[in-house]
Amino acid sequence: MSELSVNHLLGIKYLNEEDIQLIFETADQFKEVINRPIKKVPSLRDITIANLFFENSTRTKLSFELAEKRLSADIINFSASQSSVKKGETLIDTVNNILSMKVDMVVMRHPNPGAGVFLSKNVDASIINAGDGAHEHPTQALLDSYSIREKLGDVAGKNVVIVGDILHSRVALSNIFALKLQGANVKVCGPKTLLPTYIESLGVKVETDLRKALEWCDVANMLRVQNERMDISYFPSTREYAQQYGVTKTLLDSLDKEIVIMHPGPINRGVEITSDVADSKQSIILNQVENGVAVRMAVIYLLASKIKQ
Ligand code: CP
């Protein structure tokens, strides 16, 4: 297969296994490019991309921007906090104004689940979802799986536990879809209040005991508690959460095997993982960030080749 089955990247749930393999094989080539002295290719000189961020971001925003620059695309950046959205402009009006400047592709982060799907039905551009509320964060899941493949050779057959605030996490949902598509065994672990009741219907198992989850897994993907999406308290205190669901070096060293530690960022050091775990040789957190650029280059390149047809 040489092209994606989709014209937008709205969520992992719209992809198939072949799409993921194509993205990874393309990312392998771009990873080689970005490690050369000249880290840039002219592939997208005729493409203009708008990065629309209606919600805060560090990694995803910078990673997309760098990926686009490495591909030689023209880019414009939009941040809702400094825009006319504050004056009451709708999403469609904002985006149509931007598109009238002849933009081919939109990368959008938005607090509302489904914002990317809505946009794809209402504007004439290829849309990449850079995180929509607690729904999906497809490029994060792709770079996470790519990093597991790089570290362990394959994703199929690996035991992966996603630990923490599954209820409010777009990273968890996209990771579950991506890992299951590739044949990994997936568990989620956290306090019952942060595990959605439907979660087992997605083909994952639930474990509320962190030690048991770590003893089972090859990879632990540690998630942040998303306080910004909570209007009530889901556990007694941060201290108690850290005691029950935080990974410490002592806990890791007490296991009879070496597991891989991942985190999408931003990290709350001392809550979901301690600093000595985040900075340990078992952690591939910064490899995830590095791989994010190559994976996003692959996604943008493959979607742009469909625009050009
Ligand atoms: N992982 C992630 O989405 O981080 P940012 O919110 O900083 O983009």
Side-chain angles (χ1 to χ4, degrees):
M1 198 178 84
S2 60
E3 67 169 26
L4 293 174
S5 66
V6 291
N7 295 325
H8 311 275
L9 180 62
L10 302 173
I12 300 290
K13 67 169 169 277
Y14 304 105
L15 301 183
N16 58 43
E17 161 66 359
E18 289 74 33
D19 288 325
I20 293 183
Q21 290 316 321
L22 177 62
I23 291 168
F24 287 177
E25 284 158 20
T26 311
D28 287 341
Q29 293 169 33
F30 286 130
K31 183 143 185 192
E32 194 265 316
V33 168
I34 60 180
N35 281 295
R36 287 183 199 158
I38 297 170
K39 302 172 172 56
K40 203 163 171 162
V41 285
S43 317
L44 298 195
R45 268 192 313 211
D46 50 348
I47 293 284
T48 304
I49 304 176
N51 298 312
L52 312 188
F53 280 74
F54 293 85
E55 211 185 49
N56 293 343
S57 169
T58 300
R59 277 145 292 272
T60 311
K61 190 165 183 286
L62 293 177
S63 180
F64 266 113
E65 196 172 326
L66 194 56
E68 292 152 4
K69 286 180 172 165
R70 298 277 189 248
L71 289 166
S72 304
D74 288 323
I75 62 174
I76 51 176
N77 290 314
F78 165 93
S79 170
S81 58
Q82 295 152 10
S83 73
S84 291
V85 170
K86 293 278 172 211
K87 301 175 196 164
E89 191 168 65
T90 66
L91 176 60
I92 292 292
D93 281 342
T94 300
V95 175
N96 274 330
N97 273 278
I98 291 167
L99 291 180
S100 65
M101 300 175 206
K102 308 292 176 216
V103 166
D104 304 292
M105 191 177 283
V106 173
V107 174
M108 184 173 74
R109 170 165 290 191
H110 200 280
N112 295 346
V117 174
F118 174 73
L119 207 57
S120 70
K121 290 180 177 159
N122 287 284
V123 301
D124 185 20
S126 182
I127 311 295
I128 300 179
N129 176 8
D132 59 334
H135 180 223
E136 280 226 40
H137 191 350
T139 55
Q140 180 68 46
L142 289 167
L143 73 89
D144 288 346
S145 283
Y146 185 85
S147 301
I148 294 173
R149 169 184 176 265
E150 181 179 70
K151 181 73 180 173
L152 300 179
D154 203 352
V155 176
K158 298 296 178 295
N159 292 343
V160 181
V161 64
I162 306 170
V163 182
D165 181 3
I166 312 298
L167 185 65
H168 301 101
S169 175
R170 54 192 173 214
V171 175
L173 196 57
S174 287
N175 260 275
I176 289 169
F177 290 139
L179 291 164
K180 294 298 295 178
L181 259 185
Q182 295 167 90
N185 308 307
V186 185
K187 283 189 181 177
V188 292
C189 178
K192 275 200 174 136
T193 49
L194 291 177
L195 301 175
T197 48
Y198 61 80
I199 201 77
E200 284 174 308
S201 69
L202 302 179
V204 308
K205 294 207 162 62
V206 169
E207 176 57 78
T208 52
D209 183 319
L210 179 62
R211 166 171 278 281
K212 283 187 188 160
L214 297 181
E215 281 167 352
W216 169 82
C217 75
D218 302 302
V219 178
N221 196 350
M222 307 301 301
L223 303 183
R224 181 176 65 87
V225 174
Q226 312 231 339
N227 290 311
E228 72 276 23
R229 298 193 205 285
M230 295 181 186
D231 45 15
I232 56 165
S233 202
Y234 286 79
F235 45 83
S237 67
T238 302
R239 189 161 158 266
E240 191 162 317
Y241 178 87
Q243 276 172 355
Q244 282 199 49
Y245 292 101
V247 173
T248 63
K249 196 74 175 63
T250 311
L251 177 54
L252 276 191
D253 290 345
S254 72
L255 303 175
D256 60 6
K257 61 179 178 181
E258 194 165 287
I259 64 168
V260 176
I261 298 292
M262 300 176 69
H263 196 305
I267 298 172
N268 282 325
R269 288 175 182 256
V271 183
E272 63 272 10
I273 48 174
T274 51
S275 281
D276 50 6
V277 172
D279 303 329
S280 71
K281 65 178 175 49
Q282 285 170 256
S283 157
I284 60 165
I285 295 170
L286 292 179
N287 305 74
Q288 290 171 257
V289 177
E290 181 188 342
N291 288 334
V293 177
V295 167
R296 290 183 172 112
M297 285 174 81
V299 168
I300 294 165
Y301 174 82
L302 290 165
L303 288 175
S305 16
K306 298 198 82 172
I307 297 172
K308 288 180 186 178
Q309 283 170 9

